[in-house]
Amino acid sequence: MIDIFQVNPGLWLILAGVICAFVPKGDLGGWARKALVIGAPIFAGIMITQIYTSQEVLAGKINIGGLELTTLRIDNLSMVWGYLFCLIGVLNGIFGLHEKCRITDSSALIYAGAAIAGVLSGDLLTLFLFWELTAISSVFLIWKGGEHAYAAGIRYLALHVLSGVLLLAGAIMYANANGGDYMFNNIGLDVPGGWLILLAIGIKCGFPFLHMWMQDAYPKASITGTVILSAFTTKMAIYALARGYVGTDILIYIGAVMTCFPVFFALIENDLRRVLSFSLNNQLGFMVCGIGIGTELALNGVVGQVFVHVIFKSLLFMSIGAVMYRVGTAKASELGGLFRSMPFTAIFCLIGAGSIAAFPLLAAFVTKAMIISAVIYEASHGHPGLYVIAGMLLFASAGVMEHSGIKVPYFTFFSHDSGRRVKEAPWNMLVAMGLASALCIFLAFPWGGYQMLYSLMPYDSSGYTPYTVDHVVFQLQLLFAAISAFCVLKKLKLYPAEKRAEILDFDWTYRKLGLGIVRWIGAMWTRLGISMTRLRDRAISGTGRRLYQMFSPAGAMSEDAPSGLAAVLTAAMLILVLIFVYFVR
Amino acid sequence: MTENNTPDTLTKKELEERQNAHPFAVPFLWLGNQKVIDNFIWFPVLGMIAMIALGIVYPQKHPAPWDVVPGSWAIIGFAAYTFIVLCAKPLTALLARDEDYYGEGGLPDPEYSTEHTAHEHGGDHHD
């Protein structure tokens, strides 16, 4: 008998996903699939509750070829990710209820299951297995975006499989240096394989110059697919960083850069799902930076930020997805004035926007400040250089207000009236967005709300109070100033109009430059091959002709030679031999 | 009041707008009024001034070096936002290309999941 308390809860979702793939078509089959999509994450969440007992649980041990794998570990860190992924799995399931797509249902379940199993795995090899499974299962959600998403899906898959390969290589090197121990604990950069594993995580996490897959693939996936994709992969990578690289200094700088550079791309991007993808990258920067700081306050902030970020980012993707479902496009240049037709979606989007911008009483207010406070605290206690990082995070906070706080809701629901009059989003989308909005408000609620969020944090957070007068006042200073700047720039007509365009990113290096170089090398290789063939043919025919001229019956060697000439030649050869022998001896 | 409970004073355009709007949105249609849009700026500006004043009364408990300047966070917010927006023009000139630059059809609207294409394909085509 299988002891279900030894089974990684993510596997139940994977099993449900496999069953989904074989459920027959039709209305009954469709509802059975939807029941699995919503029921499986709930069951997995219950299993986590049953297994976790406030102490670290190590279970599901398997011995394969002499390697002992710990397929299940639930502690105060992985538990948060486990619950979060189950929660968002349910919300995504509700959001996608209208979509009668077996592939989406099946891959969404396997993908979510792999992410849950990954964060609940105890060793690096189990992590690698589910790391790769997230990539393979999620690519179908991208391909569901249509034919034009195919190439983006291939690029996504290539990068993520590469990430898995790097993780495996790093894990083997790490384990070899640790007497064959594959347990996933703190790794750091000073051990063999440390850099490889960090690079693997960096790809999934969207480090600068490794981030392009996110903005390439997410806006091309299906509407439901984008919502699902935004929740799992990157947060799984954040978990891996929080598990293996706490206090690694380089992450502070990487995170700070991650918060700033997407702001500029998001500003000039027209497609709102891509804007949100850049915004996702920016938010991950705050988390990476917090992990780099590595103090208890910073790590609490990271965990809290991950939790609320998954919810409000899904909410924003859902609201733009609902608009896209009704209007048929997510391009800002084609939208505007939709609050008249989709008022509930507009309200939910505003709640998501306010949450990501960290308005008081909304989600990120109670978490993001923990990370910035931790940076400022460290800066004032012997690391003054970190004030620069704190400044970058504040700059990025104003940037968040620009792209997610203002741009997304403004150009979709307000701005100029596009004249589009559509129906409000389907009921299931409204329910999912409503629940996410309620969570955004509840988790920042001063009386019992944020305290519940803080109780999930890995370290004691009773010493931190988010609702102090100075915090509220200074945060509102930043946000009101940013909105004022927007209004002033609009009045002065300095705010750029939305234009349909492809904005070049670092992926240009391989999609254009790299491809161009490969094509050039291919063309040169072909031309070189032709030239070499011609040269070889010419050399062979030339040699043959000369040999024929020399040795054929009509050739030079067949001609009669005078005896006097033969004697001279023989004498000359004799002299040459004598000279040679004289000097060689 | 007319039969459908709309005021008689409304213009034809306003009536049409009401009829086309979602019932829940009708009380909020003033948000699209040009005067409201033009004067919206006063809300954040007054809010910012109030917060700067409050910031002087209630300074940061753990101040950063820039917090010695009154309204420092407002200055950072305004300056950062303005800088970001003003970067748009050169960045667009540098990075913007035609939508089909990569030859993959730009950023398309998905064929699946949208009701428009679902109807074209018979609604339930992708089960």
Side-chain angles (χ1 to χ4, degrees):
Chain A
M1 277 294 284
I2 297 172
D3 180 2
I4 60 168
F5 296 104
Q6 296 282 316
V7 176
N8 188 319
L11 291 174
W12 298 115
L13 272 84
I14 295 171
L15 178 66
V18 174
I19 293 169
C20 255
F22 295 102
V23 170
K25 291 179 183 177
D27 283 347
L28 194 63
W31 283 111
R33 280 202 316 267
K34 293 303 177 188
L36 280 172
V37 166
I38 295 172
I42 294 174
F43 180 70
I46 292 169
M47 289 309 299
I48 294 172
T49 313
Q50 294 299 310
I51 296 168
Y52 183 58
T53 54
S54 77
Q55 297 286 321
E56 185 184 51
V57 175
L58 294 171
K61 297 200 174 182
I62 303 171
N63 201 307
I64 300 174
L67 291 174
E68 188 174 75
L69 304 182
T70 307
T71 59
L72 176 61
R73 175 192 22 213
I74 307 184
D75 61 5
N76 58 358
L77 192 67
S78 61
M79 172 266 298
V80 181
W81 267 262
Y83 281 139
L84 177 63
F85 285 171
C86 292
L87 173 68
I88 206 65
V90 175
L91 290 183
N92 289 345
I94 296 170
F95 183 80
L97 271 179
H98 65 285
E99 193 166 311
K100 296 171 182 172
C101 179
R102 190 155 47 169
I103 292 174
T104 298
D105 291 342
S106 182
S107 57
L109 274 171
I110 296 173
Y111 175 43
I116 293 169
V119 297
L120 296 182
S121 59
D123 63 83
L124 286 163
L125 289 183
T126 312
L127 177 70
F128 159 75
L129 180 72
F130 294 116
W131 194 267
E132 290 290 38
L133 189 57
T134 55
I136 294 163
S137 55
S138 59
V139 76
F140 293 100
L141 299 170
I142 297 166
W143 283 334
K144 268 300 175 189
E147 277 177 24
H148 23 237
Y150 178 73
I154 292 288
R155 287 190 290 273
Y156 170 91
L157 194 58
L159 269 170
H160 284 261
V161 169
L162 172 68
S163 163
V165 171
L166 290 171
L167 176 66
L168 180 63
I172 291 169
M173 288 169 70
Y174 173 73
N176 278 342
N178 282 285
D181 183 11
Y182 279 92
M183 277 304 286
F184 185 21
N185 294 312
N186 189 41
I187 296 171
L189 295 174
D190 300 328
V191 294
W195 279 100
L196 276 181
I197 297 174
L198 182 68
L199 190 59
I201 298 170
I203 291 174
K204 271 215 191 311
C205 198
F207 281 4
F209 306 116
L210 301 172
H211 66 280
M212 309 76 62
W213 59 268
M214 216 183 298
Q215 292 80 21
D216 181 21
Y218 284 6
K220 288 175 183 159
S222 69
I223 288 171
T224 313
T226 306
V227 174
I228 297 166
L229 286 163
S230 72
F232 297 106
T233 301
T234 49
K235 262 58 79 183
M236 185 183 173
I238 292 290
Y239 167 79
L241 277 183
R243 172 70 69 189
Y245 292 90
V246 170
T248 303
D249 285 349
I250 195 173
L251 293 180
I252 300 172
Y253 311 109
I254 291 173
V257 173
M258 278 172 77
T259 59
C260 291
F261 85 87
V263 166
F264 296 98
F265 284 94
L267 170 72
I268 54 175
E269 180 57 54
N270 184 35
D271 188 282
L272 293 177
R273 291 202 299 173
R274 188 172 272 176
V275 170
L276 289 175
S277 304
F278 278 117
S279 167
L280 173 56
N281 218 163
N282 152 283
Q283 292 292 299
L284 293 168
F286 283 95
M287 301 168 202
V288 171
C289 191
I291 293 168
I293 293 291
T295 59
E296 290 188 1
L297 179 63
L299 287 177
N300 278 345
V302 170
V303 170
Q305 181 72 4
V306 167
F307 202 94
V308 294
H309 170 261
V310 167
I311 296 165
F312 61 64
K313 183 56 71 180
S314 289
L315 174 58
L316 286 167
F317 271 115
M318 282 177 189
S319 58
I320 295 304
V323 167
M324 196 168 173
Y325 181 78
R326 287 302 191 204
V327 180
T329 182
K331 287 171 180 163
S333 54
E334 314 300 313
L335 301 172
L338 283 174
F339 81 92
R340 295 170 178 85
S341 309
M342 306 178 78
F344 294 113
T345 308
I347 290 170
F348 296 141
C349 184
L350 283 170
I351 291 172
S355 299
I356 196 171
F359 266 96
L361 300 177
L362 291 172
F365 179 77
V366 298
T367 55
K368 198 195 282 181
M370 286 176 125
I371 299 172
I372 298 176
S373 297
V375 176
I376 291 176
Y377 182 85
E378 289 303 304
S380 62
H381 287 76
H383 304 93
L386 288 179
Y387 280 124
V388 177
I389 302 298
M392 289 173 79
L393 298 187
L394 284 182
F395 173 86
S397 298
V400 174
M401 189 61 203
E402 200 291 309
H403 56 69
S404 294
I406 294 176
K407 180 172 178 169
V408 170
Y410 178 76
F411 284 103
T412 310
F413 299 103
F414 304 99
S415 187
H416 70 284
D417 185 6
S418 63
R420 295 176 190 273
R421 296 293 179 265
V422 292
K423 284 190 282 184
E424 178 54 279
W427 68 268
N428 60 299
M429 288 187 178
L430 290 177
V431 169
M433 287 189 281
L435 288 171
S437 300
L439 282 168
C440 283
I441 296 167
F442 174 71
L443 293 173
F445 198 62
W447 299 280
Y450 80 81
Q451 292 88 343
M452 185 172 278
L453 176 65
Y454 283 13
S455 70
L456 292 172
M457 291 174 176
Y459 300 102
D460 178 31
S461 55
S462 57
Y464 185 82
T465 312
Y467 287 99
T468 56
V469 179
D470 62 331
H471 181 204
V472 173
V473 163
F474 280 82
Q475 181 66 14
L476 283 176
Q477 268 189 29
L478 185 90
L479 297 177
F480 276 135
I483 302 170
S484 302
F486 169 73
C487 293
V488 169
L489 292 165
K490 269 296 225 188
K491 268 203 179 300
L492 298 174
K493 299 192 187 307
L494 289 172
Y495 195 92
E498 295 302 314
K499 287 179 187 165
R500 295 180 74 110
E502 176 75 41
I503 304 299
L504 302 187
D505 197 349
F506 192 70
D507 57 349
W508 178 86
T509 52
Y510 56 79
R511 290 176 71 183
K512 273 285 180 186
L513 183 68
L515 192 64
I517 290 171
V518 168
R519 281 184 180 152
W520 181 82
I521 290 171
M524 287 300 113
W525 186 256
T526 309
R527 289 177 71 173
L528 186 69
I530 293 167
S531 299
M532 291 302 288
T533 307
R534 199 176 293 160
L535 268 174
R536 187 196 62 200
D537 291 349
R538 201 177 292 167
I540 290 171
S541 66
T543 309
R545 194 172 61 246
R546 284 185 186 280
L547 285 173
Y548 182 83
Q549 285 170 352
M550 188 66 74
F551 296 110
S552 70
M557 295 299 281
S558 303
E559 288 177 6
D560 292 334
S563 56
L565 181 62
V568 169
L569 283 172
T570 308
M573 285 181 73
L574 186 61
I575 290 166
L576 281 173
V577 169
L578 284 172
I579 291 169
F580 179 75
V581 171
Y582 177 78
F583 282 108
V584 168
R585 282 187 69 220
Chain B
M1 299 288 278
T2 57
E3 271 180 39
N4 55 1
N5 206 27
T6 52
D8 294 325
T9 52
L10 292 178
T11 62
K12 192 181 171 188
K13 191 185 168 191
E14 285 169 332
L15 271 172
E16 198 177 317
E17 195 177 14
R18 281 183 169 228
Q19 281 165 0
N20 289 332
H22 188 286
F24 186 79
V26 170
F28 302 100
L29 287 177
W30 54 270
L31 285 170
N33 187 310
Q34 196 56 44
K35 271 188 183 173
V36 175
I37 295 168
D38 289 343
N39 289 309
F40 177 77
I41 189 170
W42 293 109
F43 167 65
V45 167
L46 291 175
M48 180 178 69
I49 292 167
M51 290 305 129
I52 292 171
L54 280 172
I56 295 166
V57 181
Y58 299 101
Q60 287 271 26
K61 282 179 186 163
H62 306 288
W66 51 78
D67 286 329
V68 293
V69 180
S72 56
W73 284 48
I75 294 168
I76 291 170
F78 197 94
Y81 194 98
T82 307
F83 173 73
I84 291 163
V85 171
L86 293 181
C87 284
K89 203 171 178 182
L91 281 176
T92 304
L94 185 71
L95 299 173
R97 298 288 185 278
D98 183 75
E99 275 192 299
D100 199 21
Y101 177 72
Y102 287 117
E104 293 174 15
L107 272 178
D109 306 321
E111 289 178 21
Y112 295 90
S113 305
T114 64
E115 57 177 357
H116 309 276
T117 47
H119 290 162
E120 283 168 23
H121 293 275
D124 201 22
H125 67 290
H126 53 288
D127 192 358

